[in-house]
Each structure stands twice: as structure tokens, then as C-alpha cells.
Amino acid sequence: MDKKTIPIRPLRSANITEGKSRAPNRSMYYGMGYKETDFGKPMVGVANGHSTITPCNSGLQKLADAAVRGIEEAGGNPQIFGTPTISDGMAMGTEGMKYSLVSREVIADCIETCVQGQWMDGVLVVGGCDKNMPGGMMGILRANVPAIYVYGGTILPGKWKGQDLNIVSVFEAVGQNAAGKISDQELKDIEQHAIPGTGSCGGMYTANTMSSAFEALGMSLPFSSTMANPHDEKRNSAKESAKVLMEAIRKDLKPRDIVTKKALENAVAVIMATGGSTNAVLHFLAIAHAAEVEWTIDDFERIRKRTPVLCDLKPSGKYLAVDLHEAGGIPQVMKVLLKAGLLHGDCMTITGKTIAETLADIPDAPRKDQDVIRTIDKPMYKEGHLAILKGNLSPEGAVAKITGLKNPVITGPARVFDDEQSALQAILDGRIKAGDVMVLRYLGPKGGPGMPEMLAPTGALIGAGLGESVGLITDGRFSGGTWGMVVGHVAPEAAAGGTIAFVREGDSITIDATQLKLQLNVPENEIEKRRAGWTAPAPRYTRGVQAKFAFNASSASKGAVLDLY
């Protein structure tokens, strides 16, 4: 589409420039270099998540610049505005981690506010770190103008002693060092070589999980979700995304035309097939809420039971996102699922093509010279890995990765902690033993507040060799890099009077990944007695965004959204 192409529908942005009473509005545009002819062009937002806070986002400016060029070449007026980010990897284990999930809401608010306040005709969102993705998509769906998501791209692997490294390597090395398995110098070497440059964490952790799901959802371009940030194809894809968006504006193709229940099923199927992050459950509950699509935590279990794990990806597998890209990327995974009848091929995408049309030229089976993507008859696991566990400890549900566990059932004494730091110290001090079930509570949406991730204690357990023999349950979250006998998102949370608040040191707890149960083995009358004597703790924050989040946050089983009224 050339510069002379004029959209065939009335421009939304015309509302702020037409009529004599609105003439002062035009003056402000003239102050930015606009010409009279510009007011007949679409005003297109570029929500730019660039920052030097984290490697995930420090390589985004070149993508935003490419998108701006694409919008201009396609006859639009780009309007750039910023969105914030919090680095989960940097904040992990600190009080700052409690701002991570909060940032999802702030990002969504930023996009909704700018798009609606400035009457933009469309928006292109550029994001990198974990919460950039769900926050961006929630903002897109709230505003519901033509939109496309541009993922910042994955990082390339670090190298040390001939091995590939990534961010999780560092957290696990801390546990190895504490257990005396590696020296202080080896820990420092891993720390200094794990992150070689720009891009989001390299395994099928939360950022790559969400980007892959957005591609499956139809809101990002094919192949774009597994490109590496340093590579030129990522910049080219950003520019092409802008041109595709301009065509969507011309056709008035909106996000809620694309993000339907069937599209959500496609996205979750790809999450299961790729071995994605537990955080995807929380975020897609929130995305469905923003789209006003009926979707519950039980829908994840429904999709899990019919979807095999096809990809051998970290954290529990061998490969990184760059390897998946080389093997055929998300389109190849989707084609395998489509041929098996596990995707809805009639779902629309932002390109104007259906899923089936988009995948028409993709081979039916993955290449034989790679083993990142398995065939449908030889999957990694016959059923998906993200299970919803229920029981008296989690009547609303909890989330666990259950595939690949040597011991899918554990019953052991509770080791109770009301914060993450004391739990981590207990692991590092060697006070947690095989057979224990760690309980980390008051870390949910309201109790944390902000539902912090806990890669530090889970990474330390793996590093200490306890990943298969120690259970861990929490009303908080886990990093996408977490694996092992761990259960998160326990709901109702402790701060809301959930049963997890009444667990006492030494109580027997069962985690059963085969029967999908999470059970406190204490008589019901004793639990009720403890409930009657329980008092909700005082809020940790009484002012600012944390206080607002704690006051408004829904249960994790509802996506921890703030506008569930």
C-alpha cells in the first residue's frame, strides 16, 4: 500500500480535527510538523516498550523505528508513546518482584489511555519482557481498534565451557554453589556469560511462551515469535507488521474480531505443545477477560487433555527458542496440530488470512534433520504439561507443570514460610530435606501484593539436587524457567482466607499430579477450627500502586485482574 492509499472507512481520529470548534487541536499537530494533507491519514499509535532497564527491552528502539517507517510508507501518521517495564530476572527474589504483575496492569492502562485519549485509528505494540506481552494484549483488547503485536525477540544463548547458557542457568548455579557442587569462581563465570546481549530470556519461558501464543492467536505475524532480537529479520518483521496493520485499519479488522474463544483454544493448544510457562494460565485468563470472551481456569485442563507436548524446550527440555525457530518455528508446530485436528483452521488472523490459509505452504510434518519439534505420533508427552490441581488446599484451582516428573506424587511434612526470603535461606542452609513440602504463602495477588515469581527458591532446589524430591506450593507465581514438583497460583490465596493460610509446620500435604489433587491431610473440623481463629494480616502497602493492586485484584483463578466488578 503506497502513501496515496486512503482508508475506505471513516477515520476515528477525524473526531479530534473536524469542525471549527476543534481548530485548536489542529494547531498542536502543526506544532509537530503535520501538514494539511496529514489529517486525511490514519493516526497510528506505536506503543514503544524500549528501555535500558533490561536486555529484554534494550533492543526495542530499532524495531519501533522500523515500525514507524512502515506506517509512514503505508500512508499513516505514526504517534509514538512509551510503556514501562519491570525486569523479572533482575527483580527476582527482591521486593521489586512484587511490581512485576502490577506492571502488566500499568502497561494495559497506558495503551488503553493513549489510544482512547488520542482517538488513534490503530496501534502497534512493541514489547520484550514478560509482562509487556499480556499487558500489551489487554490494552489492545480494551481499546479494540485495529492492532498488531511486535515481540522484541529472544536472546541468543550465552556460552561457557562449550555449553549454552541462559538466565535460569544462573539461578540454578546459585543452588549448585550453595550445595558445594561448583566453586565461587565457576558461579561468577556462569553469571558473566549467561546473557550475551539483547533479547528476552531464551527458553520457553514466559516471554517466549506469550509471543508464541500471540502468533497462534493471530495477533502477530507468522514466524515472528521466535526470531532473535539481534537478527535483521526481526527488524524487517517489525516493518512488515506495520504495513499489515495499515491494511487492517483500511479493512476495519479489530482485535475482538480475531480473539475469539476458538482463537484462545488455538493459543492454549500451542502453549501446551511447546511446553510453555505456568504464567500463561494467569495471563490468558486476564486476556480473555479483556476480550469479554467466556473462559475459565477449567478450559486449560480441557485443552491440556487433548494436546500433546511436541517440543523439547527448556526449562525441562534441551533446546532454546532460537533452535525452535531454526526447526520451523511456531508455524510448523501449528501445522502439526492442525493436521491432527487440534487447531481451528477457520480462525481469522491480523493478516486477513485464516489460520488454515496462513499454514497452507507449511510442511505437514517437521523436518527429519531436527529433533526440536516432534511428530504427532511421537510426542514428548501424550498430554499437555500445565495441569490444574484442585483439593481442599486449592478449591478454585492451582497450576503445576506435571510432565517429566520422576515422582508425580509426593506426601510429606509441611515446611511453612510466610515470605520468599526465609524459604530461600532455608534451602541454602541445607535445612530442607528430601520428602519435605515447602509452603510459601501470603504471596498471592493481594497478599504479596502483586503475586511475585519465585525462581530463586525453585532454582536453588534444582541446583541442590532436590528438584524431584521436594515439593513446593505457593499462592504466588513461578518464573517460566521453573520446573520440578512445584504448584503455584493456589487459590483462594492465604490473604483472602484460603486453606493455605491454615497450614502448620509438620502437617501432611499431598501433591498428586496423576489425580490432579492438592490436599492438606488434616481433618476438616480441625481446618475449620483454625479458620475460626485466623485473622487477616494488615495490608503490606497502604498507598500507591501496590495498595491499589492489593485492594482491587481478583483471585489468581480469575487472572488477578483489577476490573472484575
Side-chain angles (χ1 to χ4, degrees), residues 12 45-49 79-84 103-127 131-150 214 219 255:
R12 192 169 185 254
V46 177
N48 184 6
Q79 295 186 317
I80 307 164
F81 62 93
T83 60
S103 75
R104 183 189 76 177
E105 304 302 315
V106 175
I107 292 165
D109 289 350
C110 283
I111 293 168
E112 179 190 2
T113 300
C114 287
V115 171
Q116 301 291 64
Q118 294 299 126
W119 284 85
M120 293 175 182
D121 295 296
V123 62
L124 180 149
V125 180
V126 185
K131 305 311 171 295
N132 293 188
M133 254 68 71
M137 191 58 65
M138 290 160 67
I140 281 171
L141 288 162
R142 290 182 198 168
N144 200 35
V145 300
I148 194 166
Y149 201 98
V150 174
F214 287 0
M219 289 297 294

Side-chain angles (χ1 to χ4, degrees), residues 469-535:
S469 59
V470 169
L472 190 152
I473 70 170
T474 180
D475 49 10
R477 297 183 297 126
F478 296 120
S479 162
T482 292
W483 64 278
M485 181 60 89
V486 296
V487 183
H489 307 203
V490 171
E493 62 176 292
T499 307
I500 191 172
F502 315 133
V503 179
R504 293 181 179 174
E505 186 81 9
D507 283 348
S508 173
I509 290 177
T510 296
I511 303 172
D512 190 333
T514 57
Q515 298 189 51
L516 306 181
K517 285 187 177 182
L518 184 61
Q519 196 76 12
L520 175 62
N521 302 313
V522 170
E524 188 59 33
N525 62 344
E526 172 61 21
I527 294 174
E528 289 306 312
K529 180 180 177 182
R530 296 179 188 181
R531 189 188 309 274
W534 176 79
T535 301

Side-chain angles (χ1 to χ4, degrees), residues 410 432-438 461 466-472 485:
I410 183 172
I432 302 301
K433 306 298 183 183
D436 287 345
V437 178
M438 300 183 71
L461 283 174
L466 297 171
E468 295 279 4
S469 59
V470 169
L472 190 152
M485 181 60 89

Side-chain angles (χ1 to χ4, degrees), residues 218-261:
M219 289 297 294
S220 295
L221 293 190
F223 296 102
S224 65
S225 65
T226 52
M227 293 175 179
N229 177 266
H231 291 167
D232 287 343
E233 66 175 350
K234 187 72 254 188
R235 185 190 292 108
N236 296 337
S237 178
K239 186 176 182 180
E240 180 62 24
S241 296
K243 294 185 175 183
V244 167
L245 173 59
M246 288 297 294
E247 186 65 18
I249 292 171
R250 191 182 73 83
K251 294 177 179 177
D252 199 22
L253 179 59
K254 296 187 176 77
R256 295 196 194 183
D257 300 327
I258 297 170
V259 183
T260 62
K261 186 163 187 175

Side-chain angles (χ1 to χ4, degrees), residues 317-335:
K318 291 190 294 185
Y319 295 106
L320 296 169
V322 290
D323 302 309
L324 174 60
H325 189 63
E326 178 65 25
I330 293 303
Q332 183 63 79
V333 177
M334 292 179 69
K335 187 60 175 284

Side-chain angles (χ1 to χ4, degrees), residues 64-183:
D65 292 341
V68 166
R69 290 193 296 273
I71 291 167
E72 290 174 339
E73 290 178 10
N77 292 318
Q79 295 186 317
I80 307 164
F81 62 93
T83 60
T85 196
I86 296 295
S87 170
D88 291 14
M90 293 175 175
M92 202 76 67
T94 73
E95 191 70 9
M97 186 67 227
K98 295 178 181 179
Y99 285 85
S100 171
L101 188 58
V102 173
S103 75
R104 183 189 76 177
E105 304 302 315
V106 175
I107 292 165
D109 289 350
C110 283
I111 293 168
E112 179 190 2
T113 300
C114 287
V115 171
Q116 301 291 64
Q118 294 299 126
W119 284 85
M120 293 175 182
D121 295 296
V123 62
L124 180 149
V125 180
V126 185
C129 201
D130 293 4
K131 305 311 171 295
N132 293 188
M133 254 68 71
M137 191 58 65
M138 290 160 67
I140 281 171
L141 288 162
R142 290 182 198 168
N144 200 35
V145 300
I148 194 166
Y149 201 98
V150 174
Y151 176 46
T154 188
I155 198 170
L156 296 171
K159 300 286 185 180
W160 182 70
K161 288 188 175 180
Q163 293 184 337
D164 285 351
L165 297 178
N166 62 87
I167 185 62
V168 177
S169 306
V170 182
F171 285 92
E172 293 182 359
V174 171
Q176 292 172 325
N177 177 256
K181 297 181 178 181
I182 63 173
S183 68

